[in-house]
Amino acid sequence: MSETETLNAYKAQLEAYLKNLPMAGAPDRLREAMRYSLLNGGKRLRGCLLLAACELGGGDAEAALPFAAALEMIHAYSLIHDDLPAMDNDTLRRGKPTNHVVFGEALAILAGDALLTHAVEIMAASNHPRAFPALGEIIRAAGVGGMLAGQTLDVTNEGAEPDIHLVEEIHRGKTAALLTAPLTAGLILAGAEGARVEAGRKYGFHLGMAFQIMDDLLDLEGDPALMGKTLGKDQAEGKLTWPACVGIEQAKRDAEKHIGQAVEALALFGEKAAFLQALALSTLHRVQ
Ligand code: GRG
């Protein structure tokens, strides 16, 4: 299979799993708001990374589906909350009106909360023998020292002087944490330990940093139709971004350097890492 075919196969498997999630007990309107943001055409990068990492470690990707789905649910929650008027106040996401525009603020907050808690519920109910350590990796990445730390530093430093160390902390938390957890959790589910899990952690960190640097660049130079959201907001709102600190050309070089380090991190897996290495390299050409 080519890399694109492998990625599409992971994506199809994950999409079907997400579509069929029963969300037992949810009132219709809550389920509708959850499904609106969960099933609206994301790239599924985090979930596919987890399935690929699990197979890299020699594990069964199908048994890892609840964890891949959980990552996409946590990602969807973070986007719903990030788009709220109290945060980025965005009206467009993945080319469609944001959750609060369609369902109102109260339901958007609840849908985000519900996606986060339901993610934990499906991981806990998975009966996977290594569910607990994998769940720990994922929730820690989303939590106070991970995504929430990055988001807090992001919103509390709007308008601050460009500071590359601070931006690195923001990017590490806001983006790299949720791109690292698929690697460590996927490998742990496969039964990997020690240096192999740490290699995955290193890959995820560097991929995540490059992904967010590219996101900063796309906010300046991207195509709004392809990105499916309003661009140019970082500068308008005085956000701390990588290119604001080092300039556009250096930011591109830094993204390339991080991807080189991500590729190198997986060298100990040999040929088996080819898919994840190619996926990292493709980040440098992302248009959406
Ligand atoms: C509100 C708790 C809370 C956290 C918000 C995710 C996030 C943290 C903020 C959203 C804005 C932003 C630039 C996040 C960085 C991560 C990022 C680049 C998200 C977009 O991820 P993609 O491109 O999205 O994988 P799709 O739509 O493909 O799933």
Side-chain angles (χ1 to χ4, degrees), residues 11 37 40-46 72 74-84 87-88 90 93-95 116 142 147-152 154-155 170-171 173-176 178-179 208 211-216 218 227 229 234 239 286 288:
K11 208 175 154 182
S37 291
N40 75 347
K43 293 185 289 297
R44 306 298 186 210
L45 180 59
R46 294 151 190 81
E72 289 297 329
I74 293 169
H75 174 55
Y77 125 73
S78 76
L79 298 178
I80 296 175
H81 283 193
D82 188 65
D83 290 335
L84 285 168
M87 293 224 200
D88 268 8
D90 269 309
R93 168 74 63 185
R94 294 170 174 167
L116 172 62
M147 184 173 72
L148 285 166
Q151 180 74 354
T152 303
D154 192 40
V155 301
I170 293 172
H171 287 17
K174 191 173 78 168
T175 309
L178 222 56
L179 287 166
F211 193 81
Q212 186 56 52
I213 295 173
M214 291 305 295
D215 209 70
D216 292 348
L218 286 165
M227 290 294 281
K229 63 179 185 180
D234 291 344
K239 288 263 187 196
R286 65 178 279 231
Q288 58 172 17

Side-chain angles (χ1 to χ4, degrees), residues 16-24 31 35 38 69 73 118 122:
Y17 185 89
L18 289 170
K19 209 169 154 212
N20 291 319
L21 269 179
M23 297 176 178
R31 181 185 290 104
R35 286 173 64 89
L38 188 60
M73 292 164 83
H118 203 50
I122 64 168

Side-chain angles (χ1 to χ4, degrees), residues 147-169:
M147 184 173 72
L148 285 166
Q151 180 74 354
T152 303
L153 291 174
D154 192 40
V155 301
T156 55
N157 282 289
E158 274 179 19
E161 284 299 307
D163 171 348
I164 196 71
H165 301 295
L166 182 53
V167 175
E168 185 168 341
E169 274 317 291

Side-chain angles (χ1 to χ4, degrees), residues 141-264:
V144 293
M147 184 173 72
L148 285 166
Q151 180 74 354
T152 303
L153 291 174
D154 192 40
V155 301
T156 55
N157 282 289
E158 274 179 19
E161 284 299 307
D163 171 348
I164 196 71
H165 301 295
L166 182 53
V167 175
E168 185 168 341
E169 274 317 291
I170 293 172
H171 287 17
R172 176 195 293 272
K174 191 173 78 168
T175 309
L178 222 56
L179 287 166
T180 302
L183 270 292
T184 52
L187 284 161
I188 287 170
L189 289 169
E193 292 176 346
R196 285 153 71 85
V197 175
E198 291 320 302
R201 194 182 304 284
K202 202 166 167 195
Y203 168 95
F205 167 71
H206 288 295
L207 173 70
M209 291 302 293
F211 193 81
Q212 186 56 52
I213 295 173
M214 291 305 295
D215 209 70
D216 292 348
L217 287 164
L218 286 165
D219 191 69
L220 292 169
E221 301 183 319
D223 177 344
L226 288 172
M227 290 294 281
K229 63 179 185 180
T230 315
L231 299 183
K233 286 191 73 182
D234 291 344
Q235 218 169 7
E237 288 169 6
K239 288 263 187 196
L240 289 183
T241 68
W242 204 271
C245 293
V246 302
I248 288 180
E249 292 313 313
Q250 184 59 41
K252 287 180 182 166
R253 285 192 289 273
D254 290 341
E256 280 167 23
K257 190 171 166 205
H258 276 295
I259 291 302
Q261 289 169 293
V263 168
E264 179 57 33

